[in-house]
Amino acid sequence: MESTSPIVLGMPLGIFLLFASGVFYAVCAWFLWKKLREEKSELISALFAFLTYQTINMVFMGLELYTGNMVYGRISALAILIGSAYMLKFPLSHFSSWARKVVFMLSLIVALGLFVWFIQTPETEKLLMKFVLWYDLIVNGIVVGGTMIIFGLRTIERTYRTKAISGGAGVISCCVAANAYLLSGAMLTSAVFQFLAPVLILGALFFKKKN
């Protein structure tokens, strides 16, 4: 964590920004939920899942860092693991509904099994958050976010291309860039990329409305 961090509302700036990011993601998830009611698609569903699990993750990660209570860290980790299972449906959007359900269940079982293993001892639980950040970086950032951009580049439909590329860039901004900086201890830099993600995601939707 960056040293000599300013204090905001009685907490270090990095922790304050985690709470602020959580609120921002919640507001953006609400806007996207309204969009999901109008346009049901695998892309919008995946982006809604992303904003939702990141809202929970950031709020409870902030609570863990602020209070030192590892129960909050468990909730944060579960949000990432369960959210990742939902996100993994998107790369398989061209497969059958049955195949997507199987992948979802398998990934959920594996993720929850790993979670249970990590919380068995205090020593392994200390490694839980680092593990889920790497898990988030690889599964959601590289696999899902990368797939969104690839699908966007392959389509000839302009609106979908814009939403997919911008949405994928948003997911990568949070899950790859922000997580990488957070793992290195640069919380303030991480927060910049966390805030950027919803802007890219919702910006694509506003772009559609104007064109």
Side-chain angles (χ1 to χ4, degrees):
M1 186 183 300
E2 287 101 331
S3 60
T4 66
S5 176
I7 302 300
V8 180
L9 298 179
M11 64 188 77
L13 179 58
I15 295 176
F16 171 79
L17 289 175
L18 275 175
F19 288 124
S21 295
V23 173
F24 184 43
Y25 273 65
V27 172
C28 293
W30 181 77
F31 278 107
L32 199 60
W33 176 73
K34 293 175 62 179
K35 181 66 179 175
L36 184 60
R37 295 173 63 187
E38 303 171 1
E39 178 188 342
K40 294 186 180 297
S41 70
E42 293 291 338
L43 176 62
I44 301 299
S45 296
L47 292 174
F48 177 72
F50 165 73
L51 292 174
T52 301
Y53 88 75
Q54 286 291 357
T55 296
I56 300 170
N57 164 47
M58 291 176 188
V59 169
F60 282 94
M61 185 187 296
L63 284 171
E64 181 194 20
L65 293 173
Y66 184 65
T67 65
N69 189 334
M70 297 184 73
V71 172
Y72 295 129
R74 292 184 180 185
I75 298 173
S76 173
L78 278 173
I80 293 176
L81 295 172
I82 295 173
S84 299
Y86 278 98
M87 293 280 285
L88 277 173
K89 290 182 178 181
F90 179 78
L92 301 176
S93 56
H94 295 308
F95 288 75
S96 67
S97 175
W98 179 85
R100 294 197 300 273
K101 289 179 180 178
V102 170
V103 171
F104 168 73
M105 291 305 300
L106 288 176
S107 60
L108 188 60
I109 290 170
V110 170
L112 293 179
L114 288 169
F115 173 80
V116 171
W117 181 83
F118 271 104
I119 64 173
Q120 291 301 304
T121 67
E123 291 74 22
T124 54
E125 186 163 5
K126 290 178 182 178
L127 303 174
L128 176 61
M129 187 51 64
K130 184 174 182 180
F131 166 77
V132 294
L133 288 175
W134 276 108
Y135 188 87
D136 192 36
L137 188 155
I138 295 170
V139 173
N140 296 321
I142 297 176
V143 176
V144 181
T147 301
M148 288 180 180
I149 292 178
I150 291 172
F151 282 9
L153 292 173
R154 287 181 175 177
T155 186
I156 60 174
E157 205 277 304
R158 184 185 180 193
T159 300
Y160 182 85
R161 183 193 305 123
T162 301
K163 289 190 292 185
I165 293 176
S166 186
V171 172
I172 290 172
S173 174
C174 178
C175 297
V176 176
N179 280 350
Y181 279 111
L182 189 58
L183 285 163
S184 70
M187 287 189 67
L188 300 184
T189 306
S190 173
V192 173
F193 289 97
Q194 288 172 352
F195 275 99
L196 179 61
V199 173
L200 290 171
I201 291 170
L202 293 186
L205 301 181
F206 291 137
F207 174 86
K208 179 190 175 184
K209 290 181 179 179
K210 293 179 180 179
N211 288 273

